Amino acid sequence: MKLHIMIFILFNCSIVYCGTFNQFKKKVIDIDSYSFAPTKRWVTINKDETKSIERLISLLKKSKTGRKILIKSSKKALEEGKLLVHLFKAGEGSLLDTTLVRRFSRSNPDQIMYENKSTIYINKEHTILNAVLDMAHELTHFTFRKPFNPYVGNFTPDQFVKSTVEGLGGEVDAYLIECRVLYELFPTSARSVSNCEKVRDSKTGKFSKKLGVKQFYKVGRHVRTYMEELSFFKLSSNKFPYLSSRTATFISSAWGLPYPLAALKEYKTIMGKVCHNDHKRLVLMKGNVSRAPASMLQGESSKKRYDSFSKNYHNRCQQFI
């Protein structure tokens, strides 16, 4: 028997380029002896989608930051049994889709094996340049974000928000990588068309994670809704010291909301699926307990495991059932 939960690691706009590319119309990119206008849709590079992905990877390699992320992500892909190029697919939007597969048998539902499977979707409507930036963005999530398992451990909403926004491989890190790639590929034109200057330290000239965190915690007119969500989870706003009601610049394309609020919505979705799946497992465990004679050690052990899991389930899922 196999139960699974789809965990969508949020989003992407591309948050660097959400506008037009008039500044780049006359620019031509050379990719391994092929020349392309950056405003051309990436899926038109080649009729074979895999070939088009390979060309995007070749372009990303021309960036110093891109080369580093490609080396690390290639190793991570091999851990999942994939070549890097096979990690990507064209999609309706750009996002990292991680499937957490949970396996257990009906006869022994308390013994579980977990496996992660990842796919990166690149928006099929994107231009070549935007697709390369999205590739760098999503590879940052894939490579550096710490895997989480909502079925075990202390998977709390505040930890999920912080991990999503400011954690290693989170949205801020992915944005900074995207900015570096952009400026390395188009150093003379990037400044006028991106939001990257909002996260650049004026003293050092470097892109700053601290400035990025401040930008990503701006929720603007959604501040009341965010506070309501915090109240639902019995969380204090003090847990998010950078939270600001100033106008939000960065919006999750998956939810159409500022990232902190989008993360809480995502948490609710994940936990709803987790609790639904755990309820199925609880029913199986209860059936096994009822079939085992109470006098047998195996029956006593099964009952203890069932009671422990039942208590844990109700503590974690009372808000979602």
Side-chain angles (χ1 to χ4, degrees), residues 257-274:
L257 296 167
Y259 284 92
L261 183 55
L264 285 176
K265 297 288 188 182
E266 186 75 7
Y267 179 83
K268 277 186 176 180
T269 299
I270 291 172
M271 289 307 299
K273 293 177 181 178
V274 165

Side-chain angles (χ1 to χ4, degrees), residues 2-7 98-104 109 112-116 147-156 267 269-282 309 312-313 316-317:
K2 180 171 79 172
L3 298 179
H4 70 279
I5 179 171
M6 303 294 290
I7 304 176
T98 299
T99 303
L100 178 63
V101 182
R102 187 174 70 155
R103 293 187 176 90
F104 58 84
I112 305 174
M113 293 181 62
Y114 297 98
E115 180 183 4
N116 282 312
F148 61 90
N149 188 337
Y151 290 103
V152 298
N154 191 21
F155 184 70
T156 63
Y267 179 83
T269 299
I270 291 172
M271 289 307 299
K273 293 177 181 178
V274 165
C275 292
H276 176 74
N277 289 346
D278 270 352
H279 182 262
K280 292 181 179 179
R281 182 174 162 227
L282 193 65
F309 180 69
N312 179 270
Y313 165 78
R316 291 188 303 120
C317 295

Side-chain angles (χ1 to χ4, degrees), residues 193-236:
V193 295
S194 77
N195 285 316
C196 291
E197 291 304 309
K198 294 180 183 296
V199 297
R200 189 193 291 275
D201 189 313
S202 59
K203 294 181 179 179
T204 65
K206 296 181 179 180
F207 295 117
S208 164
K209 182 162 184 175
K210 184 176 181 179
L211 291 178
V213 170
K214 288 182 177 180
Q215 288 290 337
F216 273 77
Y217 273 108
K218 291 179 179 179
V219 297
R221 61 185 176 84
H222 297 281
V223 64
R224 179 176 292 182
T225 304
Y226 190 71
M227 291 302 180
E228 290 172 354
E229 290 291 332
L230 293 182
S231 178
F232 174 82
F233 289 112
K234 297 180 174 61
L235 293 174
S236 169

Side-chain angles (χ1 to χ4, degrees), residues 80-114:
E80 292 194 13
K82 290 183 178 181
L83 294 176
L84 184 65
V85 69
H86 297 145
L87 194 66
F88 297 94
K89 290 183 179 179
E92 298 301 318
S94 295
L95 57 86
L96 168 63
D97 174 3
T98 299
T99 303
L100 178 63
V101 182
R102 187 174 70 155
R103 293 187 176 90
F104 58 84
S105 66
R106 284 183 174 274
S107 60
N108 202 3
D110 55 327
Q111 298 297 316
I112 305 174
M113 293 181 62
Y114 297 98

Side-chain angles (χ1 to χ4, degrees), residues 5-17:
I5 179 171
M6 303 294 290
I7 304 176
F8 296 99
I9 310 299
L10 303 173
F11 349 107
N12 197 16
C13 182
S14 165
I15 51 181
V16 173
Y17 277 138

